[in-house]
Amino acid sequence: MRLDIISIFPEYFAPLDVSLIGKARERGTLDVRLHQLRDWAHDVHRTVDDTPYGGGPGMVMKPEVWGEAIDTVIDTAIDTGIDTVVGSAGGPAPRLVVPTPSGRPFTQELAQELAGEPWLLFACGRYEGIDSRVMQEYSGRLRVDEVSIGDYVLAGGEVAVLVMVEAVGRLLPGVLGNAQSAVDDSFAPGSMRNLVEGPVFTKPPVWRGHEVPAVLLSGHHGNVARWRRDEAIRRTVRNRPELAAELDPATLDKHDRKLLEELSFRLQPEDVAN
Ligand code: ADE
């Protein structure tokens, strides 16, 4: 996968040199290219922002600078070796991802979708954001997604892009040591969908008087799986009631229902009817 990131702070992305993502880059699974937005500014101060039309606080990122930057990246398609995606201009084209608190939520499902793309281009806004005409312009030619990583406001899109790159990168074939790890993810499709993971333990069996639950030492795979599921349900009800409310009744057995009842957790009335 090719990943281009345009930002006024490319140094924010130093973490992409280490760990899983760093190794994926070394192996060539990920081709990450960082770009300094100011390289496309033309004045002596390398200005990238201006005051907002209509007034109000803060500054807005200028469309001309972003347009030149994105055009230049798209024009380097030739050296990506990507021939599977075709932009409306006829050549290979990236999917453009713009982090913003007003975007669609970033979920495991979107991470999986993005992991299936051969080429992503992240445009990191700062200040009050990027002039909206930039997204308008490219949505005619590229798939454009404005994406939020959560209901809080960061100082810019850089950290959001780090989050997305890590979530997408670990889904690429060969990036995780254990392929099952991504399959077991809390938000991945499957029987554990909409359940967060329960607690985990390693050696020693007793630490400062705290014992590892005996079932985990029993070697009984069925009981271990049952216990893990119970703990996942308990934790989801406690920490993420809104996720628990979304549990698909078809994925719940008698034991699950009994546990939910013990926890005084009521499924949606229409779910119970099914
Ligand atoms: N930029 C600022 N806040 C953001 C958020 N929550 N998600 C994505 N990009 C952002």
Side-chain angles (χ1 to χ4, degrees), residues 167-229:
V168 169
R170 68 187 278 284
L171 296 175
L172 299 178
V175 170
L176 280 188
N178 179 356
Q180 191 63 27
S181 303
V183 176
D184 288 346
D185 285 342
S186 294
F187 307 103
S191 68
M192 297 300 272
R193 186 180 166 74
N194 280 346
L195 289 178
V196 298
E197 271 175 35
V200 294
F201 302 88
T202 186
K203 289 174 273 298
V206 183
W207 176 74
R208 297 191 181 179
H210 304 278
E211 291 179 10
V212 171
V215 61
L216 297 179
L217 309 175
S218 69
H220 190 297
H221 297 306
N223 289 352
V224 169
R226 185 82 255 174
W227 182 87
R228 285 197 172 136
R229 186 168 171 85

Side-chain angles (χ1 to χ4, degrees), residues 5-10 12-13 35-41 43 45-53 56-70 97-101 122-136 138 146 154-158 161:
I5 303 171
I6 307 174
S7 161
I8 56 166
F9 296 119
Y12 247 103
F13 297 93
H35 309 275
Q36 168 55 267
L37 178 69
R38 291 192 197 278
D39 290 349
W40 286 281
D43 62 314
H45 302 295
R46 307 219 293 164
T47 309
V48 295
D49 59 342
D50 206 336
T51 52
Y53 275 125
M59 300 290 269
V60 174
M61 294 187 107
K62 292 162 70 62
E64 309 96 309
V65 186
W66 272 108
E68 282 191 41
I70 296 172
V97 181
V98 184
T100 161
F122 290 97
C124 300
R126 282 255 142 190
Y127 319 115
E128 294 302 307
I130 301 172
D131 186 304
S132 212
R133 290 168 293 180
V134 173
M135 281 60 83
Q136 214 183 339
Y138 289 99
E146 292 182 278
L154 303 167
E158 284 77 8
V161 169

